[in-house]
Amino acid sequence: MRHFLDFEKPIADLEGKIEELKHLSGTGEMNIADEVGKLQAKVERQLRATYQKLTAWQKVQVARHSDRPHALDAIGHLIEDFQPLAGDRSFADDAAIVGGIGRFRGRSVMVIGTEKGATTEQRVRRSFGMARPEGYRKARRLMQMADRFGLPILTFVDTAGAYPGIDAEARGQAEAIARSIETCLAVRVPVIATIIGEGGSGGAVALAVGNRVLMFEHAVYSVISPEGCASILWRSGEYTKDAAEALKMTAQDLERLGVIDAIVPEPLGGAHRNPKVALSSLGKAVGEALDDLAKRDGGQLRIERRDKFLAMGAAED
């Protein structure tokens, strides 16, 4: 069954009526095709009206939707001949970060992504997409390999943040994230990062320092979650919605602020309603960015990437 968010209740009611009518039609008792068609048109109008005016907190809910396409979905849809690579060659393999070599539209690439998992078992194994230090060290190893062989790097980010456990801190979580960011800035190949769901804190930035940073229309990207922000500033979860607005974490806010480069459109009702269409739009956006970046030499790519991020937040005269 489709999972509906709280603000989608009117849509859920309409689609429930459609399913009831389809069930009646299947019994052969009546032909209700016209009525179903009218209800479907009403659902589309309701979806359009709802998704055109989403609040920041509602976008957070959409970005976290369980049916939203994840990194492995993007890899499966966009990358051919994908060969996964595991381990950080130091401690372990972190299932929260997936990566490997494949072909994107005939071009060899290195792909790295944060993966939340689709089932409960997978989510637990992948720590709900929250990577430990070995995950970021694996990502760094793969970036360095891509740089060595001249492979463009594509990253797909979907994480609430880095894993917050004591074991991760003991193994150098902050250092691992910083080294991953450092490697993103140092490589001489194109880096295209996409925020496909949640982009949370340093756990997201570690994979998102790219020449081009793309973002799905209803994804979110912030230094902290709205819940975390509310607990720190107001010491109460009652202000979560206010925190979401104040953080300016939507794709539209971040494009206006110059933090991201482009917004990837989602199908009506969000990427979770039609993942294939959403991923096809993502493939088009990544392809256009890669075609443009492929014209530059390694030194230029590195300089442009560094200048881009150093300029963020600089005060204008």
Side-chain angles (χ1 to χ4, degrees):
M1 291 183 60
R2 177 173 286 161
H3 169 66
F4 291 93
L5 300 169
D6 292 343
F7 62 85
E8 294 180 315
K9 189 178 184 303
I11 300 165
D13 293 340
L14 287 171
E15 293 201 343
K17 292 178 181 178
I18 291 173
E19 289 303 316
E20 290 177 8
L21 288 173
K22 286 181 177 179
H23 178 70
L24 289 175
S25 178
T27 65
E29 295 178 3
M30 60 176 67
N31 185 355
I32 42 77
D34 290 343
E35 186 64 24
V36 168
K38 291 178 183 177
L39 284 173
Q40 286 178 331
K42 196 171 181 179
V43 167
E44 186 172 325
R45 290 196 298 272
Q46 188 70 46
L47 277 170
R48 184 168 284 107
T50 300
Y51 275 78
Q52 281 179 345
K53 56 180 182 180
L54 291 180
T55 65
W57 174 242
Q58 288 170 338
K59 281 184 178 285
V60 172
Q61 294 176 276
V62 175
R64 294 173 176 173
H65 199 288
S66 58
D67 296 331
R68 195 173 180 84
H70 297 159
L72 285 176
D73 297 315
I75 291 171
H77 188 85
L78 301 177
I79 307 299
E80 298 177 349
D81 302 325
F82 179 66
Q83 179 61 50
L85 300 171
D88 66 345
R89 298 298 185 268
S90 178
F91 183 79
D93 180 51
D94 187 347
I97 288 188
V98 296
I101 296 173
R103 295 185 185 277
F104 174 73
R105 299 188 175 184
R107 180 184 278 133
S108 295
V109 294
M110 180 67 76
V111 188
I112 306 170
T114 42
E115 174 60 36
K116 288 183 173 180
T119 66
T120 301
E121 183 181 349
Q122 290 174 359
R123 289 173 187 138
V124 171
R125 185 170 69 86
R126 298 186 185 279
S127 300
F128 296 84
M130 296 184 291
R132 291 172 168 81
E134 50 269 25
Y136 298 112
R137 290 176 180 133
K138 173 169 70 173
R140 185 184 180 209
R141 180 176 74 83
L142 298 185
M143 290 179 204
Q144 291 172 335
M145 181 186 295
D147 194 35
R148 192 178 311 126
F149 292 104
L151 303 176
I153 299 170
L154 309 181
T155 69
F156 302 112
V157 177
D158 185 17
T159 180
Y163 186 76
I166 294 176
D167 60 328
E169 295 297 333
R171 293 198 297 276
Q173 184 73 288
E175 184 269 347
I177 291 173
R179 292 293 184 186
S180 183
I181 294 172
E182 178 185 51
T183 305
C184 283
L185 290 169
V187 295
R188 299 169 62 89
V189 294
V191 181
I192 301 172
T194 307
I195 314 299
I196 59 176
E198 284 187 277
S201 191
V205 179
L207 300 182
V209 181
N211 296 92
R212 295 286 183 277
V213 180
L214 313 178
M215 194 168 170
F216 263 138
E217 182 181 356
H218 301 309
V220 293
Y221 188 21
S222 175
V223 68
I224 192 173
S225 69
E227 295 93 335
C229 179
S231 69
I232 292 172
L233 295 184
W234 291 282
R235 299 186 182 280
S236 171
E238 295 179 5
Y239 295 92
T240 297
K241 295 179 182 179
D242 300 275
E245 293 290 344
L247 285 168
K248 303 298 180 187
M249 62 196 306
T250 69
Q252 294 73 27
D253 285 329
L254 295 169
E255 184 182 42
R256 185 168 59 252
L257 292 169
V259 176
I260 66 169
D261 299 294
I263 297 174
V264 179
E266 297 186 26
L268 182 63
H272 58 276
R273 279 190 161 257
N274 199 331
K276 289 185 179 179
V277 171
L279 293 174
S280 294
S281 296
L282 174 58
K284 179 181 178 183
V286 171
E288 290 173 354
L290 191 52
D291 287 342
D292 180 45
L293 294 173
K295 302 171 186 175
R296 296 164 169 76
D297 64 38
Q300 185 180 6
L301 287 168
R302 183 163 62 177
I303 290 171
E304 288 180 359
R305 194 183 312 121
R306 290 181 173 185
D307 289 346
K308 171 185 174 179
F309 282 86
L310 287 171
M312 287 185 185
E316 296 182 1
D317 294 332

